[in-house]
Amino acid sequence: MTAGPRRVGLTPGEIVRQAVLILFGLLALFPLYFSLVNSFKDRVQYAENLLNVPSTLHPENYGVAWTQIQGPLLNSVIVTVTSVLATLVLASLSAYAFALMDFPGRHLLFGVTFALLLVPEFLTLIPLYVQIRNLTLPSNYLAIILPTIAAGQPFAILVLRAAFEAIPKDMLEAARLDGAGHLQLLRRIVLPISLPILISVAIIRLIPVWNEYLLPSLVLDEAHRTLPVALVSFQGGGAATAVTPNYGALMASYVLSAVPLLVLFAFLMRYYIQGVTSGGVKG
Amino acid sequence: MTAVPGFRPGSSPRRDTLARLRRGWPAYLFLLPTLLLVGYFSYYPAYIAVTRAFTDWDGLNVPNFTGVENFQRAVSDPVMGQATLNMAIWVVLGLILALLPPLLISELIFHLRGRRRQYAYRTLFVIPIVIPSLVLLLVWGSFYRSDGLLNTLLGSVGLGGLRHDWLSDPGTALYSLIFLGFPYVDAFNFLLLYAGLQGIPQDVFDAAKIDGATGWRRVLRVDLPLLRPQLGLIAVLAIIGNVQYFISPLVLTSGGPGFATTVPALLMYFTATRDGEYGYAMAIAVLLMILVVALTGLSRWISRGSR
């Protein structure tokens, strides 16, 4: 096959492949469609048909959903943005030290950080909960932000160290001869060059932080609870409950909770794809 | 520069180390915040978990050492037996769901003609990542309700006899949770496999074509062996992930009906948060961790041994 601007034909095999892909792709997005159409229905419309677009819309569901969700949505944004940014700052400092500085215990300390990837989350969940419960923190947000930063360190350091090591050494030497210190090197050269990788790490890390449920549900009080925790508590006690919830408002809250990532991915999707496919994750 | 040469040979390297330590202080300063956080929020809780597994810790009072009592209780507890069986089913089926659908989709996209077309479909299968995982869970929970989508669909195609409350029936609850999330094309696994296919040199495909390996034969003979590292990684991550996963039974079924959807990790969670038996909970957690380490080691050994 030669490269070049030639028309790609539609053979029968190609049509079948694309049909299967479109079908599966739409099925993967179906929960979003389901939430969207049902978020505009009242109880009667919901009971009548689960799949159609309703003839009379009930946008007031979004008002109900918004009053319930605005607090948790803001909390989620605060927690996620702070955790991810702090993860990047601390991991950059550490990765710089591991990649570009010489000091005794370098390999040992890297091993100590790296080994954390092997400590499973469920092992530390309960002790962390007890530990944080007994800790007097200036803000309840920190109860989830601090452990989340710690949990993000091994992955971020691993990826960033590889990126920093790949920076041409003569470039750093030149700056060093001009009298730049380590912090200046990091800020003026290393971080700007590594910006795409920093964004990739941020996006890859952001998704689990945004979706985190277990620890936040244990350590955050009601005023600080994040979106996943709030969604579960609106929904009530799961399938076992006899009461039919207000599905319209519930579905509207699901749609609203997908909006922030939708906006983010509209701009930064390629950084996620590059990050996962570049080999940085393969370890 | 460091020591008088030829005098007390032992001291020279030691002083050298001291000097390097002193010169290394910026590095330690750079590492300090990370090490403090990781030490307090990762290593210390892990240490607590492992040591308190041998005690009657209740989360508040000073724990008493009870030896292996918690572990004996865990291995003889019939609920643990049921939970372990549920977990085994979950791990096996979860492994298939983590491997096959992403593999199928990445093969289909990789063999499309035209880079733009491939790019468009690749994007289509990454977009669902914007759905928060809890939303996916809750929407699927609503599908399974007696008035939910699944029963409506069954009724409309004349299979009304199969209708029931999927999560309340002990016979279907576990499988309903495992099979939640159709079509299971995890964006991360899919991208990993797709990148793996892109990494295979074109000569290999050309050679396979000359040898007459096309279509399914080529997938089996060429793609699968060359994708082994990616498939191995996905398998290990899926096994580790499913051994410790318990959010959907926690949120949708509370482990019920009965213990039909209880898994050991959920039992660990309830034992601590609901019953206040933190020591016993940590014993279950330690047993699970040993299992995770053993399975990881085993899979690495298998992938190395057969290479």
Side-chain angles (χ1 to χ4, degrees):
Chain A
M1 244 182 260
T2 51
R6 67 189 197 98
R7 288 250 330 131
V8 278
L10 274 181
T11 59
E14 189 81 353
I15 292 171
V16 171
R17 277 198 285 269
Q18 291 201 46
V20 174
L21 284 171
I22 289 174
L23 180 71
F24 274 62
L26 292 182
L27 280 170
L29 284 168
F30 178 71
L32 213 49
Y33 169 82
F34 184 86
S35 308
L36 193 63
V37 294
N38 288 312
S39 66
F40 287 104
K41 293 176 188 172
D42 63 15
R43 283 167 202 268
V44 178
Q45 289 170 317
Y46 183 86
E48 278 169 2
N49 190 326
L50 290 168
L51 291 174
N52 67 344
V53 180
S55 48
T56 48
L57 301 178
H58 291 271
E60 72 272 12
N61 287 334
Y62 278 86
V64 179
W66 178 245
T67 55
Q68 288 192 305
I69 224 175
Q70 53 179 342
L73 195 67
L74 183 67
N75 291 339
S76 270
V77 171
I78 292 172
V79 164
T80 309
V81 169
T82 319
S83 307
V84 171
L85 285 183
T87 302
L88 283 187
V89 171
L90 298 195
S92 298
L93 287 172
S94 300
Y96 181 91
F98 285 132
L100 302 168
M101 292 161 103
D102 175 46
F103 55 97
R106 181 176 158 185
H107 297 290
L108 176 77
L109 286 177
F110 182 69
V112 163
T113 324
F114 180 67
L116 277 174
L117 286 173
L118 304 174
V119 176
E121 194 197 349
F122 67 83
L123 185 75
T124 53
L125 176 73
I126 298 297
L128 253 182
Y129 159 54
V130 177
Q131 207 172 314
I132 292 167
R133 200 177 54 187
N134 298 331
L135 204 64
T136 322
L137 289 165
S139 160
N140 190 240
Y141 285 129
L142 289 173
I144 190 64
I145 290 175
L146 293 177
T148 308
I149 299 171
Q153 290 301 295
F155 165 73
I157 291 176
L158 196 68
V159 177
L160 292 181
R161 187 188 75 141
F164 292 176
E165 272 175 349
I167 296 173
K169 291 287 175 295
D170 39 353
M171 194 187 265
L172 297 168
E173 281 306 325
R176 207 172 286 166
L177 287 178
D178 289 344
H182 285 302
L183 267 180
Q184 280 169 307
L185 283 178
L186 181 63
R187 218 178 49 212
R188 302 253 174 84
I189 299 177
V190 174
L191 290 184
I193 289 181
S194 313
L195 194 63
I197 293 160
L198 288 166
I199 299 176
S200 292
V201 171
I203 302 281
I204 292 175
R205 186 62 201 139
L206 190 136
I207 290 168
V209 176
W210 183 260
N211 286 328
E212 207 172 356
Y213 171 72
L214 288 172
L215 193 61
S217 75
L218 290 174
V219 300
L220 292 177
D221 59 36
E222 192 152 336
H224 294 87
R225 66 185 181 188
T226 50
L227 206 56
V229 185
L231 288 177
V232 170
S233 68
F234 295 157
Q235 181 246 8
T241 43
V243 197
T244 314
N246 180 358
Y247 277 113
L250 206 58
M251 296 295 163
S253 70
Y254 296 166
V255 174
L256 287 176
S257 65
V259 169
L261 281 194
L262 198 63
V263 172
L264 193 76
F265 266 71
F267 297 104
L268 299 174
M269 167 85 87
R270 69 194 172 97
Y271 288 101
Y272 180 82
I273 295 179
Q274 277 168 8
V276 177
T277 52
S278 68
V281 179
K282 273 178 261 172
Chain B
M1 210 209 293
T2 49
V4 184
F7 198 69
R8 282 178 59 194
S11 82
S12 171
R14 201 184 306 150
R15 279 221 209 149
D16 205 41
T17 311
L18 276 177
R20 281 184 62 215
L21 269 173
R22 225 175 298 132
R23 260 183 290 124
W25 71 266
Y28 300 118
L29 214 58
F30 274 31
L31 292 172
L32 191 66
T34 294
L35 291 179
L36 283 179
L37 272 183
V38 155
Y40 189 74
F41 290 106
S42 302
Y43 273 112
Y44 183 61
Y47 164 79
I48 291 289
V50 174
T51 52
R52 299 291 158 90
F54 299 93
T55 68
D56 62 355
W57 190 35
D58 62 0
L60 292 170
N61 298 306
V62 180
N64 298 308
F65 184 76
T66 56
V68 292
E69 197 184 297
N70 288 327
F71 292 93
Q72 283 170 339
R73 186 176 153 199
V75 290
S76 59
D77 184 352
V79 177
M80 259 300 267
Q82 160 100 56
T84 308
L85 181 66
N86 290 341
M87 181 189 73
I89 296 172
W90 202 312
V91 166
V92 171
L93 292 177
L95 191 60
I96 297 169
L97 295 183
L99 287 171
L100 282 187
L103 181 66
L104 173 74
I105 296 301
S106 51
E107 284 282 354
L108 283 174
I109 294 182
F110 184 69
H111 291 118
L112 287 177
R113 300 218 184 122
R115 284 194 161 270
R116 290 184 117 186
R117 219 177 262 167
Q118 292 190 7
Y119 183 81
Y121 283 104
R122 192 181 65 174
T123 308
L124 174 67
F125 282 92
V126 180
I127 292 175
I129 212 169
V130 303
I131 305 174
S133 54
L134 248 301
V135 166
L136 189 74
L137 206 69
L138 295 172
V139 171
W140 270 80
S142 84
F143 290 173
Y144 285 134
R145 290 176 70 113
S146 47
D147 60 349
L149 182 68
L150 203 56
N151 285 333
T152 311
L153 288 178
L154 283 173
S156 65
V157 295
L159 289 168
L162 289 174
R163 307 169 62 127
H164 62 299
D165 195 339
W166 297 85
L167 292 175
S168 304
D169 179 342
T172 54
L174 180 67
Y175 296 98
S176 299
L177 289 186
I178 296 174
F179 285 98
L180 180 156
F182 187 81
Y184 323 110
V185 185
D186 181 84
F188 182 85
N189 296 350
F190 155 67
L191 285 176
L192 219 52
L193 289 172
Y194 184 75
L197 283 171
Q198 282 185 319
I200 299 174
Q202 186 60 41
D203 327 356
V204 177
F205 290 125
D206 294 342
K209 210 172 197 174
I210 293 165
D211 290 347
T214 52
W216 286 110
R217 262 166 127 202
R218 210 215 52 209
V219 171
L220 285 177
R221 299 256 177 84
V222 181
D223 297 2
L224 281 186
L226 289 173
L227 283 178
R228 179 176 254 147
Q230 285 82 6
L231 291 169
L233 178 67
I234 293 172
V236 172
L237 291 178
I239 292 171
I240 295 175
N242 283 322
V243 165
Q244 53 180 306
Y245 180 80
F246 64 95
I247 294 175
S248 65
L250 172 69
V251 169
L252 292 179
T253 61
S254 303
F259 294 102
T261 56
T262 298
V263 288
L266 181 69
L267 210 55
M268 182 279 292
Y269 179 87
F270 279 150
T271 307
T273 58
R274 214 162 54 183
D275 311 338
E277 295 187 89
Y278 288 80
Y280 181 44
M282 290 305 94
I284 301 175
V286 167
L287 286 175
L288 277 180
M289 188 188 65
I290 293 170
L291 182 67
V292 165
V293 171
L295 287 173
T296 312
L298 182 73
S299 56
R300 294 208 64 169
W301 181 72
I302 289 175
S303 64
R304 202 173 291 167
S306 58
R307 204 185 283 157

